[in-house]
Amino acid sequence: MVNFSKILGLEQLKHDDGILGIFDGDEMRITTSSYSAVTLAKLFWRYGLDIYNIRSWVKDVTEKFSRIYTIQDAGFAYTSVMDLLQAMDPVFVKYMKKSIKSVLKADGYSDRFIDEFVTGAMRTNYGQNADIHGFVGAVSLAGVEPGLWSVKGGNYRIPENLIPLSKINLIQGDVKSITLLEYQESNYELRYLPTSPKLANNAEIQTKGYDVIVIANPMHDGFPDIKFEDFPNEIKNFPQKFHRIIATFVDGVPNNTHYGFENLDGFPSTILTCKNDLFLNSYGKHNDVLGNPAEKSVGDRSVGKIFTNRPPTEQEVNIYFKKKEDVRMVNWLAYPEYDFDIDNLPPFVLHDNMYYINGIEMAASAMEMSVIGARNVALLSYNHWYGHLDKIDEPYVDPSQKSDKAEL
Ligand SMILES: CC(C)=CCC/C(C)=C/CC/C(C)=C/CSC[C@H](N)C(=O)O
């Protein structure tokens, strides 16, 4: 994503860390300060060295993760998510088989740190708890470390600007079916309903032939079904479930008394919650996509976002906001439920020359992961097409590390 933002000349908007609080439903377990020395002292008092060590833990994991960029630059690609993780670092395969709670416990982190800080991070980033697997847990922890950024103007500007740069012929439409062809000019026939606004309701089903198909949309219950016709083996949605999340944006004033604050002085800009049965996953104060306070923010008024696992009723919104000028809700299947059978993950290859990117979300759902999954599929299809089998499912060995013996 960093490279894309540079290539496209998009500005990175650094996020101000602000005051962070962790709420257990009755009281704040910790509230940081606008003075960094006070924050450090408070975090150290509550979590001891865990709060320092987690930073180097995430750094170490990120360095291992970053190997994927060298591997992909060298043209290597993988047919399964586990092979891709194994190529980055074998420890990631182990993380997929344990919960983040047990990974961190084995690395010496305290129950208090895991039950408050780690659980809070999992609840805000993935709507789940510290029982989710260790790899997605690590990604989630990377997401609460300082230094987070977004694209000025909105993250959507990355894919939007990549489309003209790639010079593709974009046809907007809903894919209805993919038929395997035999001994014809192309490998597949795709049937789709154009969705261009110009066509309004007059669109008719169209067909088009393709040599290679890449599916970049989750194939799970709750997502539109594509019919796969004339394949020797049945191709259907995968069994893993997706997690529904509701983001409710409120232009108004947060209800400080609910969290035990007498007024809004020192009220956190981010509140994580740390009990699994709580309705509220997290609260966050939001600027607009240009980094400015929301247009009508005056006095105590601001835009706040709460994440919940089901739509809040009006009474429930009133618990978290004492004044509301405008309320908007976004309700979507955001990421997998990370409690699936690890031995049964979706593959990157559905059939010869037909690929599927979104299986990568089973490792972790995040923009960076989607980009890595997409590049893997692009390399995989290239390597298959041109017969570069030595670059498929092979461990990458850095040429500068090869000894003479290894050469022989
Ligand atoms: C430390 C590891 C394993 C990876 C670092 C690279 C990476 C994928 C960073 C993403 C960090 C991030 C912004 C996480 C936020 S959680 C995902 C969020 N809920 C979403 O839906 O995008």
Side-chain angles (χ1 to χ4, degrees), residues 2 6 37 80 95 105 133 305 327 391 402 407:
V2 171
K6 283 186 187 150
S80 78
Y95 285 4
K105 236 179 138 37
H133 67 69
K305 177 188 73 186
V327 179
K391 290 199 167 175
K402 272 189 193 166
E407 288 288 338

Side-chain angles (χ1 to χ4, degrees), residues 34 44 53 139 157 168 181 207 243 289 347 356-357 391:
S34 45
F44 182 69
N53 293 340
V139 168
R157 295 184 70 200
I168 55 158
L181 305 175
T207 57
H243 187 92
V289 288
Y356 174 57
I357 297 177
K391 290 199 167 175

Side-chain angles (χ1 to χ4, degrees), residues 42 54 69 89 162 182 220 224 328 340 365 370 375 400:
K42 281 181 140 188
I54 197 67
Y69 305 112
D89 197 289
L162 281 173
E182 271 188 82
H220 296 270
R328 312 221 181 156
F340 45 78
S365 175
S370 298
R375 194 172 181 205
S400 65

Side-chain angles (χ1 to χ4, degrees), residues 57-58 61-63 65 69 92 124-126 135-136 138-144 148 332 334-335 364-369 372:
W57 189 89
V58 170
V61 171
T62 310
E63 275 165 14
F65 182 92
Y69 305 112
F92 291 157
T124 188
N125 280 328
Y126 289 104
F135 184 79
V136 67
V139 168
S140 179
L141 284 170
V144 292
L148 206 60
W332 85 116
Y335 21 71
S365 175
M367 285 178 81
E368 191 69 24
M369 295 299 294
I372 288 166

Side-chain angles (χ1 to χ4, degrees), residues 272-308:
L272 307 180
T273 61
C274 63
K275 285 243 179 95
N276 294 337
D277 55 356
L278 285 182
F279 176 61
L280 181 75
N281 292 350
S282 62
Y283 158 86
K285 182 177 168 177
H286 273 258
N287 285 340
D288 70 14
V289 288
L290 300 173
N292 305 315
E295 206 186 323
K296 291 175 186 153
S297 296
V298 233
D300 292 341
R301 187 170 162 188
S302 62
V303 173
K305 177 188 73 186
I306 55 169
F307 274 134
T308 54

